[in-house]
Amino acid sequence: MRASRLSSAVVALGSALILSACGGRAADSTLLRESFDSGDTFSRTVDGRPGDACEAARRTLLSQGYAIARADDAQVEGNKNFQPREDDHEQLVLRISCAPRGSQTLVFVSAVQDRYALKKSPTSASVGVGALGSVSLPFGSNDDSLVKVASSTVTDADFYRRFFQRLQQYLPPAAGTPSPLPPPSAVPEPAPARTDQG
């Protein structure tokens, strides 16, 4: 009787240890480590309408060599390709969303970096062999293809800070901001006053 109770206790203790180990692994997972803090890495509030902010974002991407895949008054998406090594390929995709916030606009941006590797796959060709029918034989030619090997969201705060600094340069002047005066040489000289004598 005592032995059966002891074995039950050992089984229960073992089960608890296994469950706690699984719970420990789950607690360390990426999803549970993700924290929705109050940082503004991925967003900024800018003056103006959402359409103006998204147009400024489109021009920001164009100025840095990005190909625009989508652009409207609410969203912009652009991508840029890199090849750091002969067999490696990287693509950076930026997605920008513009949402109204009173008289201003809240701009959200997220960058995803995808990595691809060149994979070689041998090709086979079918050869007819009399009564045996066709037989597939491998030949020396290869079909090269890019295979995605990694994908991650860029979290570098300096990267987003530089993006928003460039975006500010393409925003239209705020309402009520006086336009810059033309240079002095462009200001026409006043005509001499005419006096009637006689």
Side-chain angles (χ1 to χ4, degrees), residues 179-191:
S179 300
L181 293 173
S185 60
V187 177
E189 293 292 329

Side-chain angles (χ1 to χ4, degrees), residues 74-133:
Q75 290 184 335
V76 177
E77 181 178 328
N79 57 73
K80 188 175 182 179
N81 298 312
F82 305 89
Q83 190 170 0
R85 288 169 296 279
E86 184 178 354
D87 291 343
D88 290 340
H89 175 82
E90 294 180 2
Q91 185 177 61
L92 197 58
V93 179
L94 266 76
R95 294 180 179 92
I96 300 107
S97 297
C98 307
R101 187 179 195 179
S103 61
Q104 297 178 309
T105 296
L106 195 54
V107 179
F108 301 92
V109 60
S110 176
V112 176
Q113 185 175 23
D114 295 327
R115 288 184 54 237
Y116 298 84
L118 192 63
K119 301 291 183 185
K120 298 180 183 293
S121 55
T123 11
S124 59
S126 297
V127 179
V129 185
L132 296 177

Side-chain angles (χ1 to χ4, degrees), residues 46-70:
V46 299
D47 293 327
R49 301 171 303 159
D52 294 335
C54 269
E55 174 60 18
R58 186 184 74 88
R59 295 183 184 196
T60 299
L61 295 183
L62 286 173
S63 73
Q64 301 301 306
Y66 284 79
I68 304 300
R70 174 183 180 176

Side-chain angles (χ1 to χ4, degrees), residues 153-178:
T153 300
V154 177
T155 57
D156 182 17
D158 285 339
F159 173 84
Y160 294 102
R161 179 183 50 77
R162 292 191 301 269
F163 170 83
F164 285 114
Q165 284 178 345
R166 177 70 67 170
L167 178 97
Q168 287 287 343
Q169 298 177 5
Y170 290 103
L171 286 171
T177 302

